[in-house]
């Protein structure tokens, strides 16, 4: 992010959750002030009000899907932009105050999303234990440390923070599960392209326009822009009205994505720019190549050719 880097960070709390662990992978946040918020709206409102420079909130999970409250907040209120994404492996641990045989565990504290992602493992390894719902992964760890429950499903950061003993690690049913987080700030000039970027948009289409969604997708497809995610959310105004959230490959500064944005602006009821930022890859891999004739270089070459024609230079 250009300009002064953020020093005051707010994140979806409480402490000891995956969101805090994700935030602490950002060097500036590790050095700066980190404040937990009680909810996603509270975290984002702190940035809008100027009480924080940036907020980290969950955007989607590879098992559970998108986080609706985050999408709804991005589509409404004063604009915020994503300046960075963090993709964090979701590795749940079963932990207790002391080393305890799994057969002796009678109650396990867990956030409902955690127990849902570990359902098969729990059924196979602790079938007689009662799962007790708590408000967060951090709350689960705290309750186990206090002896309120025999064990907890929690994040690794919660185990260390509460002095728990690991009974089993990587207990999730999906070993490759990840959560994607977004770092949001007030709008500003986007950082320079890296060559492997994502642009996020919130697009509203006209209800009375036949093939409106197809027209949106066509603006991207004819320019060779890969659509990596599309998600719809109701606007709350009336049945049948939706906002579509799009993640596209590319950067707002690049010619072909810029042309696509202009096209969307012309045909959509509203287009909200949610940021262009570097893609976070857990495993290094090359970006998806553009089809022949649709690379940034091809667009630059065609623009230069048109400029020559307009100037009368036919050489």
């Amino acid at each position: 992010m250009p300009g002064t880097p953020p020093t005051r960070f707010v994140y979806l709390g409480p402490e000891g959750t995956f969101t805090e662990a994700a935030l602490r992978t950002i060097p500036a946040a590790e050095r700066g002030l980190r404040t937990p918020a009680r909810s996603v709206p509270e975290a984002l409102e702190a940035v809008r009000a100027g009480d924080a420079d940036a907020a980290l909130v969950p955007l989607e999970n590879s098992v559970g899907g998108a986080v609706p409250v985050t999408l709804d907040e991005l589509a409404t209120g004063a604009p915020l932009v994503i300046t960075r994404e963090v993709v964090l492996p979701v590795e749940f641990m079963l932990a207790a105050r002391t080393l305890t045989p799994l057969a002796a565990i009678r109650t396990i504290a867990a956030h409902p999303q955690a127990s849902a992602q570990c359902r098969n493992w729990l059924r196979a390894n602790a079938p007689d234990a009662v799962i007790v719902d708590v408000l967060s992964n951090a709350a689960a760890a705290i309750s186990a440390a206090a002896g309120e429950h025999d064990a907890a499903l929690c994040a690794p950061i919660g185990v260390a923070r509460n002095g728990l003993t690991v009974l089993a690690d990587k207990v999730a049913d999906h070993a490759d599960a990840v959560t994607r987080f977004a770092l949001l700030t007030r709008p500003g000039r986007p950082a320079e392209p890296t060559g492997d970027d994502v642009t996020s948009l919130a697009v509203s289409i006209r209800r009375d326009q036949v093939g409106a969604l197809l027209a949106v997708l066509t603006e991207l497809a004819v320019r060779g822009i890969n659509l990596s995610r599309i998600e719809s959310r109701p606007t709350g105004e009336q049945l049948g009205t939706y906002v579509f959230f799009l993640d596209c490959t590319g950067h707002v500064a690049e010619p072909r994505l810029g042309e696509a944005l202009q096209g969307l602006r012309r045909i959509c009821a509203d287009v909200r720019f949610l940021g262009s930022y570097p893609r976070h890859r857990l495993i290094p891999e090359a970006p998806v190549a553009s089809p022949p004739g649709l690379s940034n270089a091809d667009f630059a070459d065609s623009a230069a050719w048109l400029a020559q024609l307009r100037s009368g230079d036919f050489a």
Side-chain angles (χ1 to χ4, degrees), residues 108-176:
I108 299 175
H111 186 276
Q113 289 184 0
S115 56
Q117 293 189 47
C118 303
R119 183 181 296 111
N120 293 333
W121 189 94
L122 291 170
R123 185 183 297 121
N125 295 276
D128 298 326
V130 175
I131 309 302
V132 181
D133 289 349
V134 293
L135 294 176
S136 67
N137 295 311
I142 291 170
S143 68
E148 297 172 5
H149 300 99
D150 295 336
L153 276 178
C154 55
I157 189 174
V159 173
R161 183 159 292 170
N162 292 280
L164 297 175
T165 299
V166 176
L167 306 182
D169 62 356
K170 299 181 179 180
V171 300
D173 297 336
H174 299 272
D176 298 326

Side-chain angles (χ1 to χ4, degrees), residues 65-131:
V67 180
V69 66
T70 300
L71 297 185
D72 292 343
E73 280 291 315
L74 292 178
T76 60
L80 295 172
V81 293
I82 303 172
T83 57
R84 184 172 186 151
E85 68 174 8
V86 177
V87 179
L88 188 75
V90 179
E91 297 181 354
F92 289 105
M93 292 181 168
L94 184 69
R97 285 201 295 180
T98 59
L99 190 62
T100 307
L102 296 184
I105 295 175
R106 293 292 172 261
T107 59
I108 299 175
H111 186 276
Q113 289 184 0
S115 56
Q117 293 189 47
C118 303
R119 183 181 296 111
N120 293 333
W121 189 94
L122 291 170
R123 185 183 297 121
N125 295 276
D128 298 326
V130 175
I131 309 302

Side-chain angles (χ1 to χ4, degrees), residues 30-293:
E30 183 66 13
R31 297 188 300 266
L33 176 65
R34 301 179 300 275
T35 304
R38 292 171 294 182
S39 65
V40 169
E42 181 179 285
L44 300 189
E45 189 55 38
V47 178
R48 290 182 172 124
D51 297 327
D53 302 321
L56 190 79
V57 294
L59 192 60
E60 61 175 327
N61 177 267
S62 60
V63 176
V67 180
V69 66
T70 300
L71 297 185
D72 292 343
E73 280 291 315
L74 292 178
T76 60
L80 295 172
V81 293
I82 303 172
T83 57
R84 184 172 186 151
E85 68 174 8
V86 177
V87 179
L88 188 75
V90 179
E91 297 181 354
F92 289 105
M93 292 181 168
L94 184 69
R97 285 201 295 180
T98 59
L99 190 62
T100 307
L102 296 184
I105 295 175
R106 293 292 172 261
T107 59
I108 299 175
H111 186 276
Q113 289 184 0
S115 56
Q117 293 189 47
C118 303
R119 183 181 296 111
N120 293 333
W121 189 94
L122 291 170
R123 185 183 297 121
N125 295 276
D128 298 326
V130 175
I131 309 302
V132 181
D133 289 349
V134 293
L135 294 176
S136 67
N137 295 311
I142 291 170
S143 68
E148 297 172 5
H149 300 99
D150 295 336
L153 276 178
C154 55
I157 189 174
V159 173
R161 183 159 292 170
N162 292 280
L164 297 175
T165 299
V166 176
L167 306 182
D169 62 356
K170 299 181 179 180
V171 300
D173 297 336
H174 299 272
D176 298 326
V178 298
T179 296
R180 179 181 173 217
F181 300 86
L183 185 70
L184 290 130
T185 69
R186 293 179 293 280
R189 183 180 178 183
E192 294 298 313
T194 67
D196 189 14
D197 299 292
V198 180
T199 292
S200 294
L201 309 167
V203 173
S204 299
I205 61 177
R206 296 182 174 90
R207 296 182 65 240
D208 57 353
Q209 180 180 340
V210 176
L213 181 56
L214 177 60
V216 168
L217 301 179
T218 299
E219 291 291 338
L220 303 174
V222 298
R223 296 175 174 86
I225 296 171
N226 184 47
L227 184 64
S228 58
R229 184 178 71 96
I230 181 169
E231 194 94 23
S232 65
R233 289 288 299 159
T235 63
E237 297 172 358
Q238 57 181 314
L239 191 65
T241 58
Y242 297 91
V243 175
F244 292 88
F245 293 87
L246 312 178
D247 282 348
C248 314
T249 57
H251 192 282
V252 67
E254 296 170 346
R256 59 189 174 122
L257 185 57
E259 285 192 12
L261 290 178
Q262 291 181 67
L264 294 178
R265 172 71 175 179
R266 290 193 302 269
I267 66 174
C268 294
D270 184 59
V271 178
R272 178 172 283 206
F273 175 71
L274 299 179
S276 289
Y277 48 92
R279 184 184 302 277
H280 183 186
R281 296 186 184 273
L282 290 175
I283 301 175
E285 57 183 289
V288 176
S290 302

